[in-house]
Amino acid sequence: MFKKSFLTFVSVLLISVIVFSSFIPVFAYDEGMDANSRAAFTASRVISCFPTILVDDGFGEREVVLYPDEYAGAYIDKFNRLHIVLTKDVDTDTEYDYRELTGYSENVVFEVATFSLSYLYKIQNALSEVMSDFDIATMSINEVKNRLEIGLLDLSRKKDVIAFLNNKFDEFNSKCLTFNRGRLVQSLIYTEEIAYQRFLNLLTMSVLTLMIVIAITALFLSHRKKKHSNRKGEIT
């Protein structure tokens, strides 16, 4: 009876320890980590606390992070310090939670920015559906500058992009964007028509190459045969 009660107590204790430990952030750095790796590890610990959802964008199901409204990004500077960027309207308790997540590391710097990362992604997603309409070549979120960088084939389309976003969003701030002249990056995905044309071009080049090789070989054999005949005539 005592043995059974003891085993039950130990089992409950182990389960309690496992459950409780799952709620405690782990900041056990590997002693072999350099400063940059430690900063990256801390950043991943923060992001891992954000909720995620599964989305299917036509290329298969993938997990997407749902960034909270107060989170504006993170980056590592040249001194291997991690910068956690929060929006200017973040409250003290929330900032305290982030400091707790980073383990109160002295190598973490907190900054204030205007636009949340979720807001920048919202703008980017809206433009991704109309890139060809506004001659947009590239888009990328710069977490250091807290901006969505847009590469335009025609910089005069800048006002059209802003007008589109003003109509799509009730409270749009154009300061979240930076524009530059972009270049189209050749896609690795080709249409059947392009693939077929490339096949024909390759086939044509292969045939021409084979014909040239055959012609050169024939000339060489003819010359060798003629030379052999001349030698045979001289001997006779």
Side-chain angles (χ1 to χ4, degrees), residues 34-46:
D34 56 22
N36 185 272
S37 298
R38 290 191 178 191
F41 176 83
T42 303
S44 66
R45 283 294 306 168
V46 172

Side-chain angles (χ1 to χ4, degrees), residues 44 87 95 202 236:
S44 66
T87 55
E95 183 177 340
L202 180 62
T236 302

Side-chain angles (χ1 to χ4, degrees), residues 54-64:
L54 290 176
V55 298
D56 191 342
D57 54 5
F59 296 97
E61 203 173 58
R62 61 189 179 90
E63 195 173 59
V64 175

Side-chain angles (χ1 to χ4, degrees), residues 6-229:
F6 178 74
L7 290 175
T8 302
F9 171 76
V10 172
S11 300
V12 172
L13 181 62
L14 286 174
I15 293 173
S16 300
V17 170
I18 293 172
V19 172
F20 179 74
S21 62
S22 65
F23 292 96
I24 301 177
V26 179
F27 296 98
Y29 296 121
D30 185 340
E31 291 183 358
M33 278 187 179
D34 56 22
N36 185 272
S37 298
R38 290 191 178 191
F41 176 83
T42 303
S44 66
R45 283 294 306 168
V46 172
I47 295 175
S48 67
C49 294
F50 299 153
T52 58
I53 59 171
L54 290 176
V55 298
D56 191 342
D57 54 5
F59 296 97
E61 203 173 58
R62 61 189 179 90
E63 195 173 59
V64 175
V65 177
L66 294 177
Y67 295 103
D69 293 337
E70 76 280 349
Y71 183 75
Y75 65 93
I76 300 173
D77 64 23
K78 63 181 180 180
F79 302 107
N80 294 318
R81 292 177 302 191
L82 172 63
H83 292 246
I84 300 292
V85 190
L86 304 176
T87 55
K88 58 185 178 182
D89 54 349
V90 65
D91 57 65
T92 305
D93 291 339
T94 303
E95 183 177 340
Y96 176 83
D97 291 339
Y98 277 93
R99 292 186 182 277
E100 189 175 23
L101 284 173
T102 59
Y104 303 100
S105 173
E106 296 179 355
N107 203 40
V108 176
V109 179
F110 282 85
E111 292 183 5
V112 175
T114 304
F115 306 105
S116 68
L117 197 58
S118 61
Y119 178 79
L120 295 178
Y121 273 117
K122 187 187 297 184
I123 301 300
Q124 184 182 42
N125 291 336
L127 290 176
S128 65
E129 300 175 0
V130 293
M131 290 182 67
S132 59
D133 296 340
F134 298 107
D135 295 328
I136 298 174
T138 59
M139 287 192 296
S140 62
I141 292 176
N142 189 323
E143 296 184 34
V144 178
K145 297 181 179 179
N146 192 228
R147 296 290 187 272
L148 172 62
E149 297 181 339
I150 300 176
L152 293 176
L153 298 176
D154 181 0
L155 286 175
S156 66
R157 302 302 305 274
K158 171 183 174 180
K159 59 182 180 180
D160 298 328
V161 173
I162 294 175
F164 168 78
L165 294 172
N166 275 324
N167 290 329
K168 191 170 183 66
F169 299 98
D170 295 333
E171 296 181 1
F172 171 70
N173 188 339
S174 61
K175 291 182 179 180
C176 72
L177 307 177
T178 58
F179 294 91
N180 54 67
R181 186 173 296 280
R183 295 177 56 191
L184 280 176
V185 179
Q186 187 176 14
S187 173
L188 297 178
I189 303 175
Y190 304 106
T191 62
E192 292 182 3
E193 183 179 352
I194 295 176
Y196 180 68
Q197 187 60 48
R198 292 199 168 197
F199 169 74
L200 289 180
N201 292 341
L202 180 62
L203 182 62
T204 301
M205 290 298 297
S206 299
V207 172
L208 288 174
T209 302
L210 181 61
M211 290 177 64
I212 292 172
V213 171
I214 292 174
I216 293 174
T217 303
L219 287 173
F220 174 76
L221 292 176
S222 177
H223 177 73
R224 186 175 181 182
K225 183 177 181 181
K226 185 177 180 180
K227 189 175 182 180
H228 180 71
S229 298

